[in-house]
Amino acid sequence: MSNVNIQFDLSFDSDNRFATTLLQGDFTYIAEIDPPADEHRPDSQLVLVRDQAMEFSNLNWLLGLSINDRAPGKDNCPSIDYVNMLSSSSHKVMIFCLSGKEQEINDIKAAAAVIKSSGNRNIFAVTGNWNGGQPGKVQYVDSVDIIRSLVPMDNTFNIGAAVNPYRYNPEDVFLLYAKMKRKIASGCRYLVCQVGWDMMKAQELQWYLQMCDIPIPVFARVLFMRYEDSNLLNYRRVRPECVYPLPICEVLMRAAQQSPEKFLQRQIDLLALQTVGYYRLGFSGVQIAGCHNATILQQYYDKVQEYLQEC
């Protein structure tokens, strides 16, 4: 297998703390913020998003916020709708997701221009969900094409992309790594793993990147489940892309049967252990999804530090 030797240029004309942190190799914590649930949202919902960003700003150990784009619901509003509001309400690093869902390439470029005009340079490119080929609708823009279109537009963009190493059929594994290398060759500067619990597959991803001599930062995504979704553990899936191991399901289901508080505490324990595993495997950090409360995030971080002392 031939090596892919890639030189990553992470120099920026303007200040970019995220890019600097990637260069330094520090283990980094990023928290996700979801958009309001309705594209015709009232101002009060935007205020809730702003207040969440301000609350997270008080967590000194948290480097930045990743702003999801029209996810998880189909009617959620685009991330660029509140670029200026979030940029002014929090001093944290901002990473804006750009989804190719029902978009054309010119839409993506226009959104990137809005992000750039606000003084931000961090973009996370995702393909988004296919709309099923409904007549009269644009389907999607692939994340590889998003990256390829934005790099010539402005080489100071710090663009990341997703990777899902939790594939087990040989065909799926080959396609996964082939597309990942296309993203990197197109200008992707960091990767974020999808949610998963198979640490051997996470380690396999790191081994593969080392074998191919691709020195790119990789973040792992960890997920706080809602208590209302605990019944989905019967099917071992909380989200389509994430399969939960049976022992994890059993532990969480027992805790959910006791109380919401027990369920949350058990999640904090397990996610902290998972985070320590990613730290030991050489990941660049974690991106925390599903948590909208700064107090809970602080409890999670304290537990991670406790386990790091023990492991």
Side-chain angles (χ1 to χ4, degrees):
M1 181 178 297
S2 60
N3 286 351
V4 177
N5 295 310
I6 299 175
Q7 178 94 17
F8 287 95
D9 179 11
L10 291 178
S11 61
F12 292 82
D13 295 334
S14 57
D15 176 44
N16 192 315
R17 287 168 290 157
F18 187 40
T20 301
T21 303
L22 293 181
L23 284 171
Q24 293 173 342
D26 297 332
F27 192 80
T28 301
Y29 297 84
I30 304 290
E32 290 186 15
I33 290 186
D34 290 325
D38 185 356
E39 61 181 354
H40 303 296
R41 72 277 175 207
D43 291 341
S44 59
Q45 288 181 300
L46 286 176
V47 169
L48 289 175
V49 173
R50 182 200 64 192
D51 290 348
Q52 182 182 340
M54 294 178 66
E55 187 180 4
F56 285 176
S57 293
N58 296 323
L59 302 175
N60 294 329
W61 52 270
L62 188 69
L63 177 69
L65 307 175
S66 180
I67 318 302
N68 286 329
D69 186 25
R70 295 171 293 138
K74 66 177 182 178
D75 294 326
N76 288 2
C77 70
S79 60
I80 61 169
D81 280 12
Y82 41 93
V83 165
N84 293 324
M85 179 192 70
L86 289 177
S87 297
S88 61
S89 61
S90 175
H91 64 271
K92 295 294 185 184
V93 167
M94 293 289 172
I95 305 166
F96 289 94
C97 176
L98 286 184
S99 170
K101 172 186 171 185
E102 296 183 5
Q103 299 287 291
E104 295 180 345
I105 201 66
N106 287 336
D107 300 322
I108 297 296
K109 290 181 177 180
V114 172
I115 293 171
K116 178 181 176 181
S117 68
S118 69
N120 292 286
R121 292 293 186 276
N122 301 307
I123 291 175
F124 185 64
V126 297
T127 298
N129 298 327
W130 184 47
N131 64 20
Q134 300 176 34
K137 281 194 174 183
V138 177
Q139 294 182 6
Y140 60 84
V141 178
D142 191 88
S143 56
V144 174
D145 294 323
I146 293 176
I147 298 168
R148 286 175 177 169
S149 67
L150 296 186
V151 170
M153 179 178 169
D154 189 334
N155 62 9
T156 67
F157 281 138
N158 185 32
I159 305 174
V163 60
N164 188 352
Y166 308 105
R167 294 285 186 263
Y168 298 91
N169 296 327
E171 298 87 350
D172 294 338
V173 172
F174 285 127
L175 288 173
L176 154 73
Y177 287 130
K179 184 167 185 180
M180 179 188 71
K181 291 171 76 171
R182 288 176 61 207
K183 293 177 182 179
I184 295 171
S186 299
C188 171
R189 291 175 172 174
Y190 68 95
L191 297 168
V192 178
C193 280
Q194 297 283 15
V195 177
W197 285 90
D198 189 338
M199 302 306 283
M200 284 298 294
K201 295 298 289 186
Q203 187 177 41
E204 177 189 280
L205 172 63
Q206 294 284 37
W207 284 344
Y208 182 83
L209 290 170
Q210 292 173 17
M211 180 183 68
C212 294
D213 194 21
I214 303 178
I216 187 170
V218 184
F219 288 78
R221 193 164 178 253
V222 297
L223 173 67
F224 275 86
M225 290 175 52
R226 299 184 306 170
Y227 179 73
E228 308 90 82
D229 292 336
S230 59
N231 61 312
L232 297 176
L233 289 168
N234 287 305
Y235 309 100
R236 297 183 60 197
R237 288 181 184 268
V238 179
R239 295 190 177 181
E241 72 276 8
C242 178
V243 178
Y244 279 67
L246 279 173
I248 299 293
C249 292
E250 292 172 0
V251 169
L252 290 176
M253 288 173 68
R254 282 198 298 268
Q257 290 171 357
Q258 296 179 47
S259 68
E261 293 75 21
K262 290 284 187 182
F263 179 69
L264 174 61
Q265 190 56 53
R266 183 59 67 190
Q267 279 200 90
I268 291 174
D269 292 342
L270 290 173
L271 292 177
L273 281 172
Q274 187 183 27
T275 301
V276 171
Y278 287 127
Y279 177 87
R280 298 301 186 196
L281 288 177
F283 279 71
S284 299
V286 289
Q287 184 167 302
I288 308 159
C291 185
H292 310 295
N293 184 289
T295 301
I296 294 173
L297 269 186
Q298 185 62 51
Q299 293 174 8
Y300 154 80
Y301 177 77
D302 292 341
K303 186 62 69 172
V304 170
Q305 300 310 303
E306 177 185 330
Y307 287 155
L308 280 173
Q309 296 296 321
E310 296 176 2
C311 299

